[in-house]
Amino acid sequence: MGSRLVSFTFAVLFGIIAGSMPTLAEERSIVVASTTSTQDSGLFGYLLPIFKARTGIEVKVIAQGTGQALDTARRGDADVVFVHARPQEEKFVAEGFGVKRFDVMYNDFVLIGPKSDPAGIKGRDIVTALRTIEAKAAPFVSRGDRSGTHAAELALWRQTGIDIASAKGPWYREIGQGMGAALNTASAMNAYVLSDRGTWISFRNRGDLVILVEGDKHLFNQYGIILVNPEKHPSVKKELGQAFIDWLISPEGQTGIAGYRIDGQQLFFPNADKRGR
Amino acid sequence: MSDQPTAWQLIITGDPALFEIVCLSLLVSLSAAALAAVIGMPLGALAALVRFPGRAVVVVLLNAMMGLPPVVVGLALYLLLSRSGPLGEFGILFTPAAMVFAQTVLIVPIIAALTRQTVEDLWIEYRDELTAMDVGPLGRITTLLWDARFSLVTAWLAGFGRAAAEVGAVMIVGGNIDGFTRTMTTAIALETSKGNLPLAMGLGSILIVIVLLINAAAWGTRLWSERQVSG
Amino acid sequence: MMRALMSNLPLLLDDVSVRAGATTILDRITLTITPGAPTLIVGPNGAGKSSLLRLCMGLVAPTSGRISWGGRTDHAPVRRAIVFQRPAMLRRSVAANVAYGLAQAGTLRGERAQRVAFLLERVGLAELGDRPARRLSGGEQQRLALARALARDPEILLLDEPTANLDPAATRSVEDVVRMAAQSGVKVVMASHDLGQVRRLAGEVVFMVRGAVCERAAVGDFFDRPSTSEAATFLRGDLVI
């Protein structure tokens, strides 16, 4: 009686195990912990098929905030981290969790806000713009998730001389979510928000939002890539991970990055530094 | 915005990526529901039949665990399956197997709690007969589960529905890897964060239609076989 | 096997009482059931007939006193069977209900189909084997319960008012099955409050009032010469309080 159900279940289970076996056994795949900006902007969707066609290596991307991605790597759950918060990356390497950090590419941050610009900051430099937003208590959405963009935003506040931890009021909304969610929130509330340009260009739910501040040298956003240290975590696939890093900083990978465009706009600018540090 | 296909266009054109996502979602949630049935139904029957001190506590606990937050289950299993965790050496984090594992943990309490209720009601009816026929503990459990099978379909559907609908656990232990661990719900979360609200909503509608079809199929089977076998 | 060597008879009740809290359900009953013609347990509602049958089956433990089956005091229901007043039908076919009883009684898998057919034939349900058991009429359900009980190949068959809710035709077919079982050597112990039925089936009568055995007699003596005033009152059709 129940035996048919049981055998059916075991058949399903074996199906699953058998189904995941090839991928477990297949050594030609790596896990890359990266940021929501690289995934949400569509860069990986464009770049990884090129890499796979070239090398046969499958890259599995876990898109998290920079802080969480580094944590995932610290626990040994990723082979490579590809993020954008240089001080945290250097700390990661210094602690021995990463082998070496390589510059890969940059884009820039932009300050987004409603077209009506209630704080009147359009075209200002970023430091003035943030001071004005704080002074007028205009609605501002912060990622609040320890991501690279969040770290960059906090660094910008430090440059304004405002201690945001004590100055923040109801106007300053920390949502603790990814870039896309932050843009959705800003769009719904007509608030200001700091975004990386790549995610902004590919974002589809802009509502009344437009770019208000851009091109300031403080808004530079560098991406770096690090192989997780196999001495800390023997499960790290160092050859395949290094192959991915080597390809990204090679002329071919760099050309690939430059070739990713949405509506004719280039999203990321390659600037690999072969030496690493 | 015009270059973005809608979910229905993806269906009509038979988009392979969408097909893959739907298949993975079904495979993961159906496997979890099957596993959870094999574990949860005997467990529920046991809780219905065996009298022991503290049984009331177990029953309350079981009922409360029907509301386990998926994200907590996901996090707990993440810590367990992580390379730095106790089960790290198996390397199943960020694989479909981990997702099945997480959803199974999530829905075993649902299936067990609903089974307990059903079996307990039937046991009241059968107790004298089974005792008079000298049916042992194992025989009681199998008899009651078998005779309650049509009602248990509902318990199973509740578990499956919960598994198919949750996003918190599969997101954390699966990682939402494109083409590997991306399910309907994590894809919806992703498209929402990309601001592709119409696509996200479209995927949501597909998910609802699929869950609806599976429910209809299960109910149809139940009604049909009930008419064949039992009054 | 061992179970074939063990016998349930005589069934001995030695000063047995069953109490639930302050309520006395069965009051110091001493009774010996031996092979022979059917024993009918008679008495007004609430006299304790059902409780006595459950006690004889081993479903209820005595609060005091001793009970033994063929000298054994463990209450494993080997070659003992009971049909309840409202038997529960398994949610399966008629044939599967009987097969279940056979399986529980240890009948080998290969022999079951033949035994099912034989038993259904015996209770007159041969045509209904594929029907869901719960769709049978009340009389058919009683006969199925009888077949399921007979599947245990009992030495002693306990019946709790099996015809209480049946029309005369259904009552007759149930009685036929009971009579046949008794003739084939099964000891029938049956509760009834239908005096006509008692005359038709009984070899002896156990008359109960308020949880105690009031009178025990051969059926003819019970009806013609009741030795207690309670039995006489009951037979006249007056209320025994």
Side-chain angles (χ1 to χ4, degrees):
Chain A
M1 37 181 271
S3 60
R4 252 175 307 159
L5 180 71
V6 172
S7 48
F8 165 77
T9 309
F10 279 108
V12 169
L13 279 184
F14 281 125
I16 302 229
I17 292 163
S20 45
M21 268 316 182
T23 44
L24 287 179
E26 192 195 353
E27 295 303 313
R28 308 288 292 169
S29 80
I30 54 170
V31 173
V32 175
S34 189
T35 70
T36 54
S37 55
T38 43
Q39 166 151 301
D40 291 3
S41 63
L43 175 67
F44 281 136
Y46 171 80
L47 215 50
L48 297 183
I50 302 176
F51 177 64
K52 173 141 195 216
R54 193 86 176 86
T55 62
I57 299 172
E58 174 107 42
V59 178
K60 296 171 184 163
V61 178
I62 317 285
Q64 301 169 325
T66 291
Q68 198 190 348
L70 288 170
D71 280 347
T72 300
R74 258 187 206 101
R75 300 185 60 88
D77 295 323
D79 302 304
V80 172
V81 270
F82 186 15
V83 291
H84 64 127
R86 189 163 199 153
Q88 291 181 49
E89 293 161 36
E90 284 168 351
K91 181 160 171 269
F92 180 82
V93 174
E95 287 168 351
F97 288 105
V99 175
K100 210 173 193 186
R101 179 190 173 284
F102 296 90
D103 280 336
V104 177
M105 63 186 189
Y106 69 91
N107 66 354
D108 61 341
F109 293 111
V110 287
L111 189 64
I112 308 289
K115 207 177 294 169
S116 58
D117 190 16
I121 57 161
K122 186 173 171 57
R124 304 292 187 85
D125 66 278
I126 184 68
V127 171
T128 313
L130 287 180
R131 278 195 190 123
T132 314
I133 287 171
E134 192 268 345
K136 296 191 175 173
F140 183 92
V141 172
S142 168
R143 291 276 295 275
D145 64 350
R146 294 199 305 132
S147 60
T149 308
H150 186 216
E153 180 212 315
L154 295 178
L156 289 171
W157 283 114
R158 273 194 294 279
Q159 289 185 37
T160 63
I162 297 168
D163 177 13
I164 192 63
S166 59
K168 67 183 173 193
W171 59 274
Y172 185 82
R173 295 171 193 171
E174 288 175 279
I175 64 165
Q177 296 183 69
M179 195 65 252
L183 287 169
N184 274 327
T185 308
S187 171
M189 302 192 319
N190 264 343
Y192 294 94
V193 62
L194 187 73
S195 172
D196 67 283
R197 191 185 289 273
T199 306
W200 168 251
I201 290 173
S202 59
F203 188 67
R204 300 280 151 186
N205 183 35
R206 293 180 183 176
D208 283 339
L209 299 182
V210 292
I211 294 179
L212 295 172
V213 176
E214 62 184 324
D216 188 316
K217 67 177 178 2
H218 291 120
L219 293 173
F220 180 76
N221 181 23
Q222 177 68 47
Y223 285 81
I225 194 161
I226 307 169
L227 179 71
V228 179
N229 194 345
E231 284 167 24
K232 286 262 184 190
H233 295 290
S235 58
V236 169
K237 297 171 184 167
K238 63 177 174 193
E239 283 84 15
L240 299 183
Q242 193 59 50
F244 180 56
I245 295 174
D246 290 345
W247 183 78
L248 269 185
I249 62 180
S250 73
E252 187 183 323
Q254 295 278 296
T255 311
I257 291 170
Y260 181 56
R261 285 159 197 273
I262 290 180
D263 301 337
Q265 295 182 68
Q266 184 173 342
L267 273 72
F268 296 95
F269 300 86
N271 67 341
D273 166 10
K274 292 259 170 59
R275 284 160 300 150
R277 76 199 87 169
Chain B
M1 204 168 281
S2 52
D3 59 335
Q4 280 292 330
T6 68
W8 300 109
Q9 281 168 336
L10 293 178
I11 295 180
I12 293 161
T13 56
D15 182 71
L18 176 68
F19 184 71
E20 210 172 289
I21 289 173
V22 170
C23 284
L24 181 71
S25 295
L26 286 179
L27 183 68
V28 167
S29 295
L30 286 173
S31 313
L35 249 181
V38 171
I39 300 167
M41 288 183 179
L43 212 64
L46 219 57
L49 294 189
V50 183
R51 307 282 134 173
F52 53 93
R55 177 173 173 277
V57 177
V58 170
V59 169
V60 169
L61 215 64
L62 211 55
N63 286 340
M65 273 165 55
M66 289 170 76
L68 272 183
V71 65
V72 174
V73 171
L75 184 58
L77 284 179
Y78 174 82
L79 294 174
L80 207 63
L81 299 177
S82 164
R83 287 285 179 188
S84 306
L87 301 181
E89 58 192 298
F90 298 106
I92 67 163
L93 189 67
F94 303 141
T95 66
M99 297 153 80
V100 172
F101 193 2
Q103 291 195 338
T104 303
V105 171
L106 188 68
I107 64 177
V108 158
I110 297 178
I111 293 183
L114 296 176
T115 300
R116 184 199 63 79
Q117 190 59 56
T118 305
V119 167
E120 205 162 286
D121 291 346
L122 194 61
W123 174 234
I124 290 170
E125 188 187 329
Y126 278 15
R127 181 171 46 212
D128 284 346
E129 299 285 359
L130 297 193
T131 310
M133 282 192 265
D134 197 22
V135 181
L138 191 67
R140 289 177 186 184
I141 289 176
T142 51
T143 300
L144 288 163
L145 285 177
W146 180 248
D147 278 31
R149 61 197 179 279
F150 300 115
S151 314
L152 291 181
V153 168
T154 312
W156 185 84
L157 279 176
F160 168 74
R162 168 97 157 151
E166 73 90 19
V167 61
V170 282
M171 182 68 96
I172 295 180
V173 302
N176 191 25
I177 298 169
D178 191 13
F180 186 57
T181 58
R182 184 161 296 165
T183 64
M184 294 296 286
T185 54
T186 60
I188 291 166
L190 177 66
E191 291 307 329
T192 304
S193 76
K194 284 160 121 178
N196 269 329
L197 305 191
L199 180 58
M201 196 59 229
L203 291 171
S205 316
I206 295 174
L207 177 62
I208 291 170
V209 168
I210 289 171
V211 170
L212 204 69
L213 286 178
I214 287 176
N215 270 269
W219 270 102
T221 313
R222 174 185 169 163
L223 288 179
W224 180 80
S225 43
E226 225 170 1
R227 217 167 289 142
Q228 305 296 307
V229 181
S230 159
Chain C
M1 295 200 318
M2 283 300 288
R3 58 171 56 192
L5 300 175
M6 295 190 291
S7 175
N8 279 288
L9 295 170
L11 165 54
L12 295 176
L13 282 74
D14 180 14
D15 199 23
V16 172
S17 295
V18 173
R19 283 183 285 274
T23 316
T24 299
I25 297 166
L26 292 176
D27 188 14
R28 305 194 60 178
I29 292 179
T30 298
L31 196 64
T32 307
I33 306 275
T34 50
T39 298
L40 268 87
I41 301 173
V42 179
N45 284 334
K49 302 191 291 291
S50 295
S51 300
L52 180 61
L53 289 174
R54 298 171 75 89
L55 185 76
C56 292
M57 187 65 197
L59 296 176
V60 186
T63 315
S64 64
R66 276 164 42 87
I67 181 165
S68 66
W69 295 267
R72 288 176 301 114
T73 52
D74 72 287
H75 55 81
V78 178
R79 299 200 65 197
R80 250 192 343 262
I82 187 166
V83 173
F84 297 102
Q85 194 170 344
R86 284 189 199 79
M89 298 286 110
L90 300 181
R91 285 159 171 75
R92 308 173 187 211
S93 70
V94 168
N97 265 269
V98 179
Y100 186 88
L102 286 168
Q104 291 307 324
T107 308
L108 298 175
R109 196 178 281 272
E111 297 167 10
R112 283 181 212 158
Q114 197 192 341
R115 288 280 293 156
V116 167
F118 170 77
L119 287 163
L120 288 181
E121 184 69 46
R122 194 165 167 189
V123 300
L125 294 175
E127 308 297 311
L128 303 179
D130 293 333
R131 280 268 198 97
R134 290 159 62 83
R135 295 249 190 92
L136 297 180
S137 70
E140 289 164 344
Q141 291 200 358
Q142 283 293 352
R143 280 186 280 151
L144 174 54
L146 273 166
R148 201 169 57 189
L150 291 171
R152 300 186 65 73
D153 188 20
E155 283 177 289
I156 176 165
L157 177 60
L158 306 158
L159 304 170
D160 191 0
E161 307 205 22
T163 61
N165 304 308
L166 303 185
D167 63 40
T171 301
R172 156 153 300 165
S173 49
V174 169
E175 284 182 8
D176 287 345
V177 175
V178 172
R179 198 174 291 113
M180 228 186 315
Q183 280 162 5
S184 68
V186 179
K187 173 65 188 186
V188 171
V189 179
M190 173 169 161
S192 177
H193 61 223
D194 173 351
L195 291 175
Q197 182 171 60
V198 175
R199 280 185 200 275
R200 289 193 294 278
L201 290 178
E204 62 164 353
V205 173
V206 171
F207 177 63
M208 292 181 74
V209 178
R210 292 184 297 274
V213 172
C214 182
E215 180 168 342
R216 181 177 191 183
V219 64
D221 293 344
F222 177 72
F223 281 101
D224 300 340
R225 294 178 289 282
S227 59
T228 58
S229 61
E230 285 91 343
T233 310
F234 183 75
L235 286 169
R236 271 203 311 277
D238 288 345
L239 293 172
V240 183
I241 298 165

